[in-house]
């Protein structure tokens, strides 16, 4: 399967399990995770990255990402687990 089979070029979102998943969600999650792990990030940058990352968890759960991949960073895994705990069981 190719990426365009999931989300064609002309389409920016897909609805999965009642959650709208935007194109770029996985990339944004990874960019925020990278920033959180960075020694050079300011407290304000970390706070913004954390909030953005938390807001992406439902979409990534709808994609099934956390069913197939384990997060290596224990602090990041804890954040994701906390957000997953807030979701209805049908979404996880």
């Amino acid at each position: 399967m190719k990426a365009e089979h999931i989300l064609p070029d002309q389409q920016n979102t897909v609805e999965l399990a009642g959650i709208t998943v935007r194109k770029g969600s996985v990339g944004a999650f990874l960019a925020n995770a990278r920033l959180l792990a960075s020694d050079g990030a300011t407290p304000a940058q970390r706070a913004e990255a954390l909030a953005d990352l938390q807001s992406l968890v439902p979409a990534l759960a709808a994609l099934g990402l956390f069913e197939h991949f384990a997060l290596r960073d224990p602090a990041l895994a804890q954040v994701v687990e906390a957000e997953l705990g807030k979701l209805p069981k049908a979404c996880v």
Side-chain angles (χ1 to χ4, degrees):
M1 182 169 292
K2 296 181 181 252
E4 59 268 17
H5 295 143
I6 303 293
L7 201 58
D9 288 339
Q10 67 278 9
Q11 188 177 341
N12 291 316
T13 63
V14 66
E15 183 98 4
L16 298 171
I19 295 172
T20 300
V21 180
R22 288 188 48 81
K23 190 179 283 186
S25 294
V26 173
F29 180 88
L30 293 171
N32 287 310
R34 192 174 301 116
L35 196 144
L36 286 171
S38 169
D39 290 335
T42 67
Q45 289 172 322
R46 285 183 192 284
E48 184 177 4
L50 178 61
D52 290 344
L53 185 140
Q54 289 169 314
S55 73
L56 290 163
V57 169
L60 299 185
L63 286 171
L65 186 88
F66 304 118
E67 294 174 30
H68 302 285
F69 296 97
L71 298 170
R72 290 184 184 177
D73 181 325
L76 181 58
Q78 187 175 14
V79 168
V80 169
E81 284 300 318
E83 292 304 310
L84 289 173
K86 298 175 185 177
L87 297 176
K89 294 295 178 200
C91 296
V92 181

